[in-house]
Structures are given as C-alpha cells and as structure tokens.
Amino acid sequence: MSDSSEINKLIIETVETCCDKKTVRSLIEEALQYELDIWNRHILPSTIKDEYDRMVERVIKEDKT
Amino acid sequence: MRFTISSIEIENFRQYKDTQTIDFPFDRKRNVAIIIGKNGAGKTNLLNALTWCFYGFETHTDYEENEKMPIINTSALSALKPNEKTAAEVTVFLDTDVGGWCIRRTISGGKKANGEVFIDPKTKLSVTHPLGGQDKVETGDDTEVLINNLLPNDLKQFFFMDGERLREFFNKDIAQNIGESIEKVSQLGLMYKAAEHFESLEKELRKNVKESTPKLDEINQEIQDLTNRMESLKDSINKNRDETKKNHQELKDVKDFLKNCGIEQVELLENERQSIEDAIKNLGARHHAKVQERNRYLVQIAPFIYLKQPIEQSLSLMQAKMAKGDLPPKIKETLVLELIEKGKCICGSKVEGETKKTLEEYSKTLGLSEIGEVAIVGKTKYKDIFADISLFTQKMDIFHQEIQSFEDELEKDRRRLEQITDELKKGEDKEKIINYEKRRDELNRFIGKLEQQVKMDSGELEEARKILEEKRTEYDKELGSSEKNKKLKVKLELVQQTLRTLANTEIAIKENLRKQIQDNTESNFMRLIRKKGAFTGVIINEKYEVTVKHVSGYNVIDHLSAGEYMILGLSFMSALMNISGFKAPVIIDTPLGRIDDEHRDKITTELPVFLEGTQLILFVTPTEYDEKVRTNLSTFIQKGNCYKIDENTNQNESKVVKNV
C-alpha cells in the first residue's frame, strides 16, 4: 500500500480551493487546529466561545497589519 | 505517526490466566504474524484485549455472551479469599517513529468480606511515550487524546477488523455503511464542531449590537427562528435516519427468519422473493436509464421536428438556386472585393482601368454568394437532419418497445411477489408466518415513510439555508448603516464567510473522498479478485450505492460469493486506511473463514505484498491454516512470528504459545 497524504492536509487543500480569502482560510485552519487540540476533552462552552472570539479578533488584526 | 505493535502482555484477561506475552518482530517485507486458534479458543478475545486496552471497550464481541462474564479471568477471581483483590491488565508495547510507547489498561476486582465478587466499574489507563528525550507517563484525561492521535477510535474498525463483519459489510445497508465510513475517515467531525462553534459565536455577536433598529431586531428575530427551525430539521433527519437503520436491521432479521425457518416451502418462497426483489431493483434502474435516454433524445430532436417546415422550404430554395446555377458560387465575393481594394493581383499585375471596372460590375452580381456558400455547407447538414427526422417515429417505437418490455417484466415480477405473499400466508405454521409477513409489510411501509420524511426535511433544510443566507446579507446591510456597529460588522462578515466556506468544503471533501475511495477500491478489487475477466469495475455513486460491474453489464453486488465479498471488503477497507493517513497495524480476525480455496490462495499471496510495510496480524483456525496457506505465507512470516492458542482440558482457559 502506498503512503498517503494526511487527512487534515486534504481538508486544508479543499478549504483553499473553496475560498480565496486569506483571512477566512487562516481562521478555518486555526479553528480546526483548536478543535483537534480539544477533541475528546471536556471544555466549557464559554471557554470555547471566548477562544473563537479571540481567533476572529486575531485574524482581523493580522489582516490589518 | 506510524506505529507497529512490538508486543502484547495480557494478565487475567478473560480466558487468559496469569501473565502472557506475545512478541511481534516486524520487518517491512516479512510483515505477517499468525495466531492460530480453534473457534472459541480466544482469538477474538485477543483482538478485544487490544481494543479494550486502547479504547476501554471490546468491539469484536457477542455482547450477550461476553456481558455475562467479567473481564477478569473467572478462575483468578474464584481463587481469591474474602477481602482479596486481583486485576486484569493488558499492556501493548508499540514502536513508533519517535520511539517506544507503552499503553496499559487495568481493571480491578475482588471478593468482599461475604465472599461476593465485585468488579471496579472504572478502568485505569496509562500511556508512556517519549517527550523531550525522556519517557513521560500520562494517566489523566490526556491519555485518551494521545491514543486518539495515534489511531482515532472512529477509525479503529478499518485497522482492527473482524473477518465476518468485513464479509457482511457489502452485504447489507451498503450505502449507509459507506457513508458513515467516509464520514469517519474524513474527520469531518472537526469541521462540524468548528461550524457549530462559529454559529454560536455568530449568535453571540448579534446580541452585542450596540445601536439596534426595529428593522435589525426584526431580521434578527427571523434569523433566530430560521436557525431554530433548521436545528429541529437536522434533529428530525438524524432521528429518522437512525430509525430507518433500525428498521432495515429488523427487516433483515425478518427476511433471515423466513429464509431459515425450517419450513422448506417458506424458505423456497422467501429465497425466490429476495431474488425477485433484486431483479426488480435491477430492472427499475435499467427502466429509469432507458426513460432518461429517450428523454434526452426527445430534447435533442424536438427543435428539428418543430422546424421541419422552414427547413424543408430552405432546402427546396437551395435546390432551385443550384438548378439555376446560382449555387454554388464560382468566385468568392471577398476575393473580388479584395482585388478591387488592393488594386493588385497575387500574380503582381495591377488591377486598374477596364479590369477594375469589370470586376466592380461583376461584384454586384455576387450579392448572395457568401450566404450561398454557407447554405451549401448547411445543405449537407439539412440532409442529415432530414434523415434524423425521418427516423424519429422508428426510433421512438424502439424506445417505447424497450420501456414497455421493462414495465411488463416489472409488472410480472410484482405480481409474482403478491402471489408469494399469499402463498406464504397459506402454508404450514401459517399464524407465525402471517405475523412475520405483517411485520415485513409494516417495516417496508415505515421505511418508505421515514425515507420520504427525510427527503422532505432535507428539501426544507436546503430552502431554509438559502433564506438564512439572504437574511444574513440583509442584516449586514442594515448593520452597516450604523457607525457604532462597524467593528462588529467586520467580525460578523468574517464569521459568515467562514461558515459558508466550511459548508462548501464539506461538500467538496465528501465528493473528493468518494472519488478517491472508489478508484482505490476498484484498483484493489481488480488486483485481488480471482476472476479478473468476470468484472470490469467497481462504482460508488453520489448516494454511496455500490455497483460491481460484471462483463455482461449487470450489477452483481447482490450476487457475489463469500470470497468475493471478502475481497471487496478488504479492498474498501484498504482504500479507507490509505486515505485516512494513519499508519497502524492491520489485524484481521479470521479473514480466511468461509471462503473458497482459490480466494484463500489469492489473499495469502497478494495481501502481504499489497500491505507491504504495514504490520499484518492474522487470526486463523487450524483448518484454515492448511499446507497451502502455510507455504504461501512462509515468505512473509519472520521466524517466531507464529503462535497458537492452547486450551486447557476444561476448555475454559487459554495460553498463547509459539507454534513450532
């Protein structure tokens, strides 16, 4: 069986083909990484909401600079 | 991360008393390990030990049977004195790209003062793994996360397989099984979670609007209502899909009962009914394809039928012109005009004076020549069109005959189905059969209703999605009119674009994966199948329905042999493994059971090569591990990588020993 690409790579590649906006792409990448980190962990919904809000703020700020 | 199992240590786990160690030396080319055991000796419980150690539960088990027995070896438990304790423990040692790992799960139990046996409901899990040049021992919540990073729980079935279930995989609920597998392998769960959290954030952002207007409030309310409706539709779709799955399972049980009820007449009729149902499915698909072909033809020919008269007139006009010698033109108008304009011929002579005058007069007579030239080319096409039009009635008659013949056959089959139902109700043990028949009808009706409901809900959900998009745009427009909400608007826009991209990505990933899995399954199947000339390919369509194409053109998915189902299952699982990106060992419990010699031969010679570089552990019975299989596998097994399970005389305890 030949070696294959990681599934996350497929997701990222597909996101890139589905959207040409850099901000949206980096926000999705960040969110997926975060979801991977907290997968199967019990995290308070308010903590998750705050983290998502921070992510959005960060991406907008980075886009401006 | 790539990993192989270097050894498994089992202590007091089910029939394995005391501590037993099984080592698995591994080499890329000598990648096979064999464990031989009679039925019931403990092969499946070795696989269970592995999944229990990794994930905390035994997946390959007959629950009713295993639930009665504690995980801790019963002899070890009964040998305890009151207030004494013991434990069952499974330790799996792994070789990974970054060094050795050790996963250990323990469950305790013992005897109370009154002699009553108790089992601790909680298990203890520890993972030792290399981190920063040292071995780190994890015992908390992170242990499960670490194991999931190694091989996610959802994907384990594509690596730790049960031969029997693999054969069954393509035998029932295929589309649903494939859909679920693709969902698991694609890790779309991560995207669903991200989308869910972005949706919550979006709701929250709307609440933070600083300067609202009645219009904003109104749209916000509409968005809320739509989101709630969509949530309830999604719930209803999921609930109905689960219900459909359960009903399909019960329907299969009812059919199996009728097929194996012991009354010869009933069994014969039920078998006949199932082949008729398959035939109806096949005929239905062919009838549908033919109707579509006819409709395509009608769309293509219809304009010419309606324009028959003007086409005829054009053609007769052209023929008259040709008879008069006006067509075809002798000289092209463009050439004459070019000569006049340039004032020079291609031979170098000047075009002036009388020559020029003659040409100018001649050009006036060529008024229709360009059109005429087009018409000459067109004339040939007109002839073709006429030929097509004249064949119209004949072609339509053929279509009608073919469609009618499908419909007749379908009608005949449906009538026979009704007769079978009546005959079944008249035969032996008729009350019981009538009840089963009633249940069968009920289930078919339920399934039909549920599928219809899912279709309706999905349609409404799609519509609601579109309206939601419009409302969001409307909301953003209204929001933009207020200076104070500008920052919020930027955030909202980004979140909404992200949600849209996630939705589009989901569709694209599913389609991409379906195609990749189809191509890989097909190439694996064509490589592993014995009767290469009998099949032309495997198709997995958008609805995840599988077609195995026979050279005759028929779909033979419902008529494969046990060995062929096994090959198809292995091909599909390999495709999924490949696409999942995880590099874990492949362990198959009884892959050689109930399949013919030639497929057994094929699997034992091709599979190790096919999975070269992947550790392959096979559990087989002594009968399956015959001389031929042993010879085939000998090139792929390292010395000492073959074990057998020995049972004690009471056949209630087992030991794994080297098979020499």
Side-chain angles (χ1 to χ4, degrees):
Chain A
M1 197 196 313
S2 62
D3 284 355
S4 66
S5 57
E6 297 289 327
I7 189 67
N8 285 338
K9 202 175 153 201
L10 178 71
I11 292 183
I12 299 303
E13 278 170 4
T14 318
V15 169
E16 277 169 16
T17 56
C18 287
C19 175
D20 50 11
K21 278 201 118 184
K22 206 182 135 219
T23 45
V24 175
R25 288 203 308 255
S26 50
L27 184 57
I28 291 178
E29 279 180 37
E30 253 195 77
L32 291 176
Q33 189 54 53
Y34 177 67
E35 291 300 337
L36 202 62
D37 292 343
I38 63 164
W39 193 252
N40 278 346
R41 293 189 192 189
H42 305 290
I43 311 280
L44 286 174
S46 57
T47 314
I48 297 176
K49 209 176 277 176
D50 288 348
E51 186 50 42
Y52 267 73
D53 197 32
R54 266 196 293 277
M55 269 187 240
V56 173
E57 296 257 8
R58 201 159 46 230
V59 168
I60 292 173
K61 207 171 154 191
E62 277 168 12
D63 188 44
K64 278 182 185 162
T65 52
Chain B
M1 184 162 46
R2 181 185 288 275
F3 78 91
T4 55
I5 297 172
S6 55
S7 113
I8 302 178
E9 220 172 74
I10 304 172
E11 189 182 344
N12 289 336
F13 182 88
R14 298 222 176 264
Q15 65 260 67
Y16 297 98
K17 200 178 169 231
D18 303 328
T19 306
Q20 303 191 31
T21 307
I22 317 165
D23 293 321
F24 295 107
F26 173 71
D27 180 282
R28 274 190 71 80
K29 284 194 186 288
R30 289 184 171 263
N31 54 341
V32 179
I34 292 283
I35 295 177
I36 310 158
K38 287 180 192 162
N39 287 328
K43 293 190 299 298
T44 305
N45 275 338
L46 275 183
L47 192 54
N48 280 334
L50 194 71
T51 55
W52 180 75
C53 177
F54 272 55
Y55 307 103
F57 51 90
E58 302 164 288
T59 39
H60 309 273
T61 189
D62 178 345
Y63 267 94
E64 278 186 23
E65 191 55 40
N66 257 6
E67 263 176 9
K68 291 175 198 159
M69 300 273 282
I71 282 181
I72 303 173
N73 180 271
T74 46
S75 308
L77 276 173
S78 48
L80 295 175
K81 290 177 184 150
N83 293 323
E84 274 187 348
K85 282 177 116 183
T86 186
E89 191 169 270
V90 177
T91 313
V92 182
F93 296 91
L94 309 174
D95 276 334
T96 78
D97 298 336
V98 291
W101 278 46
C102 167
I103 302 171
R104 175 172 292 138
R105 193 179 289 270
T106 314
I107 188 166
S108 305
K111 269 189 186 163
K112 294 178 186 171
N114 62 3
E116 192 190 329
V117 171
F118 71 91
I119 305 288
D120 193 339
K122 276 194 174 175
T123 63
K124 281 183 200 150
L125 174 68
S126 76
V127 177
T128 310
H129 64 113
L131 194 73
Q134 284 184 325
D135 279 345
K136 190 172 184 226
V137 184
E138 301 275 2
T139 52
D141 286 348
D142 282 347
T143 46
E144 280 171 19
V145 178
L146 280 167
I147 293 171
N148 261 290
N149 286 344
L150 205 61
L151 180 64
N153 185 6
D154 276 347
L155 300 188
K156 66 177 179 302
Q157 73 193 81
F158 308 124
F159 294 86
F160 307 157
M161 307 174 205
D162 178 330
E164 196 61 41
R165 287 187 195 177
L166 203 57
R167 270 188 293 277
E168 287 282 302
F169 190 88
F170 282 90
N171 224 343
K172 55 175 190 182
D173 303 330
I174 309 170
Q176 191 148 357
N177 284 341
I178 291 183
E180 283 171 6
S181 301
I182 288 183
E183 192 107 321
K184 281 176 186 169
V185 98
S186 60
Q187 292 185 325
L188 280 171
L190 286 181
M191 287 183 53
Y192 296 153
K193 279 277 170 207
E196 191 186 304
H197 293 143
F198 275 122
E199 269 166 15
S200 312
L201 179 67
E202 195 206 0
K203 261 189 204 168
E204 196 65 26
L205 288 173
R206 283 188 209 288
K207 279 188 203 158
N208 295 339
V209 172
K210 289 192 174 61
E211 194 180 52
S212 192
T213 63
K215 178 82 176 159
L216 264 182
D217 288 342
E218 188 192 321
I219 307 170
N220 198 22
Q221 189 53 51
E222 283 174 331
I223 291 177
Q224 289 294 325
D225 293 345
L226 269 171
T227 338
N228 292 342
R229 177 70 190 139
M230 281 167 73
E231 280 309 311
S232 100
L233 283 169
K234 278 183 207 165
D235 285 348
S236 157
I237 291 171
N238 288 338
K239 211 179 100 199
N240 287 334
R241 278 193 180 140
D242 287 346
E243 199 60 31
T244 309
K245 197 178 175 182
K246 273 187 218 155
N247 284 335
H248 268 301
Q249 185 52 50
E250 196 186 334
L251 187 62
K252 190 188 171 287
D253 293 343
V254 170
K255 286 179 181 177
D256 285 350
F257 166 80
L258 293 169
K259 245 167 55 177
N260 308 302
C261 65
I263 306 168
E264 200 186 355
Q265 183 60 12
V266 174
E267 289 181 2
L268 280 172
L269 286 169
E270 182 56 25
N271 275 321
E272 189 190 345
R273 175 155 68 184
Q274 290 202 14
S275 19
I276 293 175
E277 281 176 344
D278 289 344
I280 287 179
K281 225 159 109 187
N282 205 335
L283 277 171
R286 290 169 67 198
H287 173 259
H288 180 69
K290 195 45 83 182
V291 170
Q292 278 192 322
E293 192 188 332
R294 181 200 60 192
N295 293 349
R296 273 197 302 274
Y297 171 70
L298 274 174
V299 169
Q300 197 190 1
I301 197 85
F304 301 116
I305 301 283
Y306 284 113
L307 292 170
K308 194 181 170 208
Q309 209 184 345
I311 293 171
E312 266 173 347
Q313 280 170 353
S314 305
L315 192 64
S316 66
L317 187 67
M318 276 192 290
Q319 276 162 346
K321 289 257 174 210
M322 282 174 77
K324 267 174 76 185
D326 290 349
L327 283 174
K330 289 172 184 69
I331 302 165
K332 275 190 175 182
E333 189 185 14
T334 40
L335 175 68
V336 177
L337 292 176
E338 208 177 321
L339 284 173
I340 300 166
E341 198 188 318
K342 283 189 178 169
K344 200 178 172 185
C345 181
I346 45 166
C347 64
S349 317
K350 284 189 175 171
V351 177
E352 52 187 10
E354 270 312 297
T355 320
K356 191 177 176 185
K357 213 173 155 188
T358 315
L359 278 174
E360 276 170 350
E361 277 186 16
Y362 183 70
S363 74
K364 287 173 196 163
T365 67
L366 292 169
L368 273 172
S369 65
E370 293 286 303
I371 303 165
E373 194 176 350
V374 175
I376 291 297
V377 179
K379 189 176 157 280
T380 349
K381 285 186 182 164
Y382 286 148
K383 274 191 176 168
D384 291 345
I385 292 167
F386 268 111
D388 285 347
I389 293 173
S390 60
L391 283 174
F392 174 71
T393 330
Q394 196 187 336
K395 273 199 169 183
M396 283 306 284
D397 281 348
I398 297 172
F399 273 128
H400 283 144
Q401 274 167 19
E402 285 174 332
I403 290 169
Q404 191 57 48
S405 125
F406 283 134
E407 282 168 2
D408 290 346
E409 277 185 68
L410 278 166
E411 186 52 36
K412 202 175 103 195
D413 282 348
R414 284 186 188 123
R415 269 205 306 271
R416 179 63 193 138
L417 277 185
E418 281 169 19
Q419 281 171 355
I420 290 175
T421 310
D422 290 342
E423 280 175 44
L424 278 167
K425 287 175 185 169
K426 283 179 205 155
E428 207 182 316
D429 213 352
K430 84 179 175 196
E431 207 158 306
K432 202 170 179 185
I433 302 295
I434 287 173
N435 284 338
Y436 269 96
E437 279 296 294
K438 261 190 193 164
R439 188 65 189 144
R440 195 179 193 279
D441 286 348
E442 265 173 14
L443 287 166
N444 274 326
R445 267 203 314 279
F446 288 159
I447 291 169
K449 263 190 194 170
L450 288 167
E451 283 176 346
Q452 190 58 29
Q453 190 61 45
V454 167
K455 220 172 167 182
M456 276 163 58
D457 286 346
S458 304
E460 196 185 331
L461 186 65
E462 202 41 52
E463 197 53 38
R465 261 195 201 118
K466 280 182 202 155
I467 302 172
L468 186 65
E469 273 302 303
E470 287 165 16
K471 291 289 160 197
R472 279 172 172 161
T473 318
E474 215 180 308
Y475 186 90
D476 290 350
K477 213 172 144 191
E478 188 67 22
L479 195 66
S481 56
S482 158
E483 199 54 37
K484 285 185 181 174
N485 289 321
K486 263 194 174 163
K487 195 185 163 201
L488 191 65
K489 194 191 169 205
V490 173
K491 280 173 92 173
L492 257 177
E493 267 178 3
L494 179 60
V495 172
Q496 282 163 11
Q497 281 169 352
T498 307
L499 278 168
R500 270 196 295 273
T501 306
L502 282 172
N504 293 339
T505 309
E506 180 197 326
I507 298 167
I509 285 179
K510 278 187 178 169
E511 182 51 16
N512 197 348
L513 277 173
R514 184 194 62 77
K515 277 189 193 148
Q516 282 190 41
I517 290 170
Q518 175 192 270
D519 294 349
N520 286 358
T521 305
E522 183 178 71
S523 81
N524 296 346
F525 182 76
M526 295 311 282
R527 182 174 164 179
L528 289 174
I529 201 76
R530 180 180 63 83
K531 294 191 287 185
K532 287 197 181 359
F535 305 100
T536 55
V538 179
I539 298 167
I540 301 173
N541 72 10
E542 287 76 8
K543 289 179 186 167
Y544 302 133
E545 289 159 345
V546 180
T547 303
V548 175
K549 278 171 79 184
H550 192 259
V551 277
S552 60
Y554 286 98
N555 174 15
V556 287
I557 183 71
D558 294 325
H559 307 286
L560 298 177
S561 69
E564 286 160 350
Y565 276 124
M566 181 72 194
I567 299 288
L568 187 59
L570 272 174
S571 307
F572 179 72
M573 292 298 167
S574 299
L576 287 172
M577 274 158 49
N578 206 351
I579 278 158
S580 77
F582 287 89
K583 316 280 185 210
V586 173
I587 304 170
I588 317 176
D589 185 8
T590 52
L592 306 176
R594 291 211 296 148
I595 59 173
D596 57 81
D597 288 349
E598 281 183 85
H599 277 113
R600 202 176 278 184
D601 195 32
K602 201 81 187 148
I603 288 173
T604 46
T605 49
E606 293 277 356
L607 200 62
V609 184
F610 185 60
L611 295 172
E612 191 184 296
T614 303
Q615 188 177 29
L616 179 61
I617 303 174
L618 303 176
F619 295 166
V620 293
T621 63
T623 334
E624 288 159 17
Y625 198 60
D626 58 16
E627 194 52 45
K628 190 83 202 292
V629 169
R630 200 175 307 149
T631 313
N632 286 346
L633 288 174
S634 61
T635 28
F636 306 108
I637 302 175
Q638 272 203 54
K639 206 179 167 197
N641 226 355
C642 186
Y643 293 89
K644 63 174 179 174
I645 303 172
D646 277 347
E647 290 174 288
N648 66 356
T649 42
N650 290 335
Q651 295 180 314
N652 59 356
E653 278 174 27
S654 296
K655 260 194 167 56
V656 182
V657 295
K658 291 252 181 208
N659 184 47
V660 278

